Amino acid sequence: MSTEAFKTITYKPNTTLFREGEQADFAYIIREGSVKVSKRGPSGADIPIALVKKGGIVGEMAIVSEAPRSATVTAQEETIVLAISKTSFENKLQSIDPFLYSLIKTVIARLRQTSDHTVNLYEKIKKMQGKAIQSAPPKSDLTQQKFANVNFIFADPNPQTRNSLRGGLFGLGFKEICDVSTLFQLREQIKKNRYDLLILDAAFGGREVAGFIHDIRHGIDCKNPFLSIIVLTQNKSPQNRDALLHAGCDHVLLKPISIEKISNAIKALCHYGRKFIVTHDYVGPDRINYQNPNGESAPVFDVPNTLAAKVLNEARAEDLEHAIHNSLCKFNEIKLERHLVQLAWLMDRLTPDNPEGYDPDYLLDCIENSLQDLSIRIDQDHAKSANTICKNMHHLIDTIREDSTQRIEKLADMTLFYKQLCENIPLGQGAHLSSHAQRHA
């Protein structure tokens, strides 16, 4: 960064302003937007400790104390900051009373020690509370008061149905109720707020509703992809029910709907832990004995049941936010591994001796889709090299489409790029490559 005394900078969402442990050169005043402040715990996990909005300042502690950055700061949305250089910042501090300057430095040094101690203690507590948030075992009977803190949204194009349902849900004890009449409004709300429960009417269109649920479960413009989802429909066909369930919803309820039927479904969602399954194209509640096309079991992992945690355990919002963050990190790791598995499976079937007879254009489309989602999910520390590899593989796909006679030659090049991709995408200890992926890597 330049040594200008003051500089206005715009950061895109999820862009890091600075990382814990780096040397400090600037402090930042938030002029528009907001940033998240997080610290590494003893296990290496990032723990959110503050959200700083317009008018706040970050980065001042390291400048005053002349120590490395004590936390990582990341833009939550498009954020505009005024960056103040270290020299200018110190000159302003030294211009005040020398006693106050010394006092400020002492207070900041103690704050650093306190924040480190707090994060260490916080992570220990989270380990003990984690299972309670995931499974949310019942502590007491459900009462109206228990539903008061649930963030709930429902979408129905019919205003009479919305009014009737709203009145019945108020009777059950829900207070935080948001109702919308279009999928666009629903998407905007899901993007901005962290909901625990969604009731969605399939009257918007079965395919549109299934696609919307698919996006939620894949974390696309959604604060909590693990929220409980109930779909209402008057289509009694098993195919319709299966399509909605395979999109990732929890329950499908047939119309006509009564408050008692909805109440029973909500109570059922409060009394079981949540395990999600992850494949290359599905994320959602576990389907019993699911098998991938290649015969391997798909990964399953625990996710927060925030509905149950609020209703039965009265969990704090910050605890649930931490649990959601950890599950999102785990999900992203599994999703990366699934894409590598899927790419290997697809490349196997691009060979001329493929006995299953897949259409090469279809296989190439699937490879492009996997590469596109994979490049979005790659950690920022590894994005540059991995994204370059993805672009090279996209270029090979274009070449194969233009001249199918080059498929064998370009497939060999693609296999080399795939090996590089596996080397550039770090997977956690829990992730593993399938036999297909290992053969290519």
Side-chain angles (χ1 to χ4, degrees):
M1 186 177 288
S2 70
T3 57
E4 296 178 40
F6 299 93
K7 187 174 183 179
T8 300
I9 307 172
T10 300
Y11 290 96
K12 294 181 179 180
N14 300 318
T15 302
T16 300
L17 281 68
F18 54 82
R19 295 184 182 277
E20 184 176 353
E22 293 179 347
Q23 291 302 310
D25 51 2
F26 279 77
Y28 304 85
I29 298 175
I30 311 302
R31 302 185 68 176
E32 297 291 342
S34 60
V35 297
K36 180 182 72 173
V37 183
S38 60
K39 283 182 66 65
R40 283 192 301 269
S43 68
D46 285 334
I47 298 174
I49 59 175
L51 180 67
V52 182
K53 299 182 178 181
K54 182 179 180 180
I57 185 169
V58 293
E60 78 288 354
M61 289 178 64
I63 286 181
V64 174
S65 64
E66 297 184 356
R69 298 290 192 189
S70 62
T72 297
V73 173
T74 307
Q76 292 293 91
E77 54 192 306
E78 184 170 275
T79 301
I80 302 174
V81 304
L82 179 63
I84 308 173
S85 71
K86 180 176 181 178
T87 301
S88 178
F89 195 88
E90 286 181 332
N91 289 340
K92 287 184 177 296
L93 283 180
Q94 290 173 358
S95 66
I96 66 175
D97 185 280
F99 173 76
L100 290 178
Y101 177 60
S102 178
L103 179 62
I104 289 172
K105 295 190 71 170
T106 301
V107 170
I108 284 181
R110 291 177 180 172
L111 280 173
R112 290 175 69 99
Q113 294 176 349
T114 301
S115 64
D116 290 341
H117 175 73
T118 301
V119 166
N120 293 343
L121 181 62
Y122 183 85
E123 190 161 89
K124 291 179 181 178
I125 294 172
K126 291 306 104 187
K127 287 181 180 179
M128 293 185 290
Q129 292 182 341
K131 291 185 178 180
I133 291 177
Q134 300 288 358
S135 58
K139 285 186 175 180
S140 60
D141 293 334
L142 298 179
T143 63
Q144 289 187 356
Q145 184 179 0
K146 294 293 185 179
F147 290 110
N149 295 325
V150 173
N151 289 336
F152 169 56
I153 183 169
F154 70 92
D156 191 305
N158 188 312
Q160 289 79 20
T161 303
R162 291 201 311 276
N163 291 335
S164 175
L165 187 57
R166 172 183 280 275
L169 291 166
F170 271 128
L172 291 177
F174 286 95
K175 300 299 181 186
E176 300 295 328
I177 299 179
C178 174
D179 67 281
V180 295
S181 59
T182 68
L183 284 182
F184 174 79
Q185 293 172 339
L186 178 59
R187 190 176 295 276
E188 290 301 302
Q189 287 293 326
I190 292 290
K191 186 191 305 184
K192 293 187 298 184
N193 302 302
R194 186 175 288 106
Y195 289 99
D196 308 302
L197 174 64
L198 163 64
I199 295 182
L200 175 58
D201 199 304
F204 292 109
R207 181 172 297 178
E208 289 77 7
V209 167
F212 183 80
I213 296 172
H214 175 276
D215 288 349
I216 288 178
R217 293 308 192 205
H218 282 76
I220 300 174
D221 293 332
C222 180
K223 287 276 190 177
N224 179 17
F226 312 117
L227 82 168
S228 300
I229 301 177
I230 299 173
V231 178
L232 313 179
T233 180
Q234 61 184 9
N235 187 336
K236 298 181 180 180
S237 72
Q239 294 82 0
N240 175 67
R241 179 180 180 275
D242 288 345
L244 293 170
L245 289 174
H246 291 172
C249 72
D250 293 276
H251 284 317
V252 177
L253 298 181
L254 289 175
K255 295 180 178 180
I257 298 297
S258 66
I259 289 298
E260 181 182 6
K261 186 184 291 187
I262 292 178
S263 174
N264 290 337
I266 294 173
K267 290 176 181 179
L269 288 170
C270 290
H271 284 89
Y272 70 85
R274 288 173 74 74
K275 289 184 179 293
F276 269 28
I277 191 170
V278 181
T279 73
H280 71 280
D281 62 351
Y282 173 82
V283 180
D286 188 12
R287 290 179 280 170
I288 298 176
N289 297 326
Y290 177 87
Q291 293 286 319
N292 277 328
N294 56 22
E296 297 177 350
S297 298
V300 177
F301 73 113
D302 293 323
V303 301
N305 187 343
T306 61
L307 170 66
K310 284 188 176 181
V311 171
L312 301 174
N313 287 344
E314 300 177 355
R316 299 184 307 166
E318 54 266 36
D319 294 338
L320 294 176
E321 183 177 353
H322 184 62
I324 291 170
H325 172 76
N326 285 346
S327 292
L328 277 172
C329 291
K330 180 63 178 176
F331 159 66
N332 202 56
E333 180 182 285
I334 295 175
K335 193 66 178 176
L336 287 173
E337 185 258 350
R338 286 294 92 191
H339 279 309
L340 293 178
V341 170
Q342 175 70 358
L343 285 171
W345 189 88
L346 292 166
M347 288 163 59
D348 272 348
R349 280 145 187 81
L350 269 176
T351 56
D353 58 349
N354 169 32
E356 292 153 301
Y358 284 95
D359 180 2
D361 287 330
Y362 167 75
L363 295 173
L364 292 172
D365 286 342
C366 291
I367 291 175
E368 282 193 312
N369 291 336
S370 284
L371 288 172
Q372 183 176 359
D373 190 66
L374 186 146
S375 62
I376 294 173
R377 299 182 185 277
I378 299 171
D379 183 85
Q380 288 183 0
D381 292 338
H382 305 86
K384 185 174 181 180
S385 55
N387 280 331
T388 299
I389 297 169
C390 288
K391 288 180 181 178
N392 290 334
M393 294 180 74
H394 276 296
H395 178 70
L396 289 174
I397 291 173
D398 292 339
T399 303
I400 294 173
R401 282 199 169 112
E402 291 172 1
D403 186 357
S404 60
T405 60
Q406 298 189 50
R407 194 202 316 175
I408 298 176
E409 176 186 348
K410 298 305 178 183
L411 185 58
D413 295 337
M414 193 178 295
T415 300
L416 292 176
F417 283 130
Y418 177 83
K419 291 179 180 179
Q420 295 175 15
L421 199 59
C422 292
E423 294 169 357
N424 279 272
I425 299 179
L427 298 176
Q429 294 180 353
H432 64 281
L433 293 180
S434 71
S435 56
H436 289 279
Q438 288 174 355
R439 185 163 63 251
H440 280 273

